[in-house]
Amino acid sequence: MTHNTELTPKFHPELTPPIEELEAQERRLVFRRFTHDDAWALGSLLVDLARERQAPVAIDIHRAGQQLFHAALPGSVPDNDAWINRKRRVVERYGSASYLVGARFRAKGTTFEESSRLDPDEYAAHGGSFPITVEGAGVIGSVTVSGLPQLQDHRFVVEALEQFLEKDR
């Protein structure tokens, strides 16, 4: 039996970053301040990047319990908003990226769903939500993307944060 290599998924070890790399991202991607205008600028950057790539994503930015930015691009669906809420709750509870939280559970030989004791209808430790951390204040919010496979959601947010923070340095 032959396999069509275009349809057979390939394992790419680089697709699963080590926990140390994910933790380093959080230490590096820290804001001096985060205002309503910053939320608009970051959200707009994410929208521009998504449009360039024709990414069917929804984008959300929260600070201190308030939604400061939301956009749904063509191809996104209402379910993306539910995923955003579930991933955002993980960041709010753990103070870490939703992908990193899931990776920590997997590193212990379990899953978030099996071991967190949290309702999977309310929490999802899947990639795409990243903490907004402000120097001297800690985690004050989150930026979340939903619509791509979880690692791509995570990497998309990280890329946008890197670009945004580079302009601020």
Side-chain angles (χ1 to χ4, degrees):
M1 177 175 170
T2 61
H3 290 287
N4 180 341
T5 56
E6 291 179 33
L7 299 176
T8 305
K10 296 178 183 172
F11 176 73
H12 296 285
E14 73 275 8
L15 293 182
T16 306
I19 288 175
E20 297 77 20
E21 179 183 329
L22 299 170
E23 290 171 340
Q25 290 171 348
E26 289 189 357
R27 288 190 301 273
R28 187 177 75 250
L29 300 173
V30 175
F31 291 81
R32 292 183 185 145
R33 56 156 172 59
F34 193 79
T35 67
H36 286 77
D37 289 338
D38 293 323
W40 180 261
L42 176 58
S44 297
L45 172 62
L46 281 157
V47 167
D48 290 345
L49 292 171
R51 283 185 175 149
E52 285 173 15
R53 299 165 192 186
Q54 298 179 331
V57 297
I59 300 161
D60 178 88
I61 299 175
H62 264 71
R63 184 187 73 184
Q66 182 183 19
Q67 184 179 56
L68 300 183
F69 185 93
H70 185 85
L73 277 74
S76 65
V77 296
D79 198 40
N80 295 128
D81 291 328
W83 276 99
I84 282 171
N85 290 333
R86 293 168 61 216
K87 293 189 276 189
R88 185 189 77 246
R89 285 186 194 107
V90 168
V91 173
E92 291 169 352
R93 184 171 186 113
Y94 290 87
S96 289
S98 54
Y99 190 80
L100 174 56
V101 172
R104 286 176 174 154
F105 277 89
R106 288 187 297 276
K108 294 177 186 172
T110 186
T111 66
F112 178 82
E113 294 77 12
E114 291 171 357
S115 299
S116 72
R117 302 177 61 93
L118 296 172
D119 183 349
D121 289 336
E122 298 292 320
Y123 295 87
H126 291 253
S129 192
F130 201 92
I132 295 171
T133 304
V134 174
E135 292 173 5
V139 176
I140 56 107
S142 62
V143 54
T144 310
V145 169
S146 176
L148 304 171
Q150 67 167 324
L151 183 55
Q152 290 178 28
D153 277 347
H154 174 81
R155 287 188 169 157
F156 186 59
V157 171
V158 167
E159 177 187 348
L161 286 169
E162 288 171 341
Q163 285 186 29
F164 186 85
L165 288 167
E166 183 62 33
K167 294 176 187 177
D168 193 42
R169 301 273 180 231

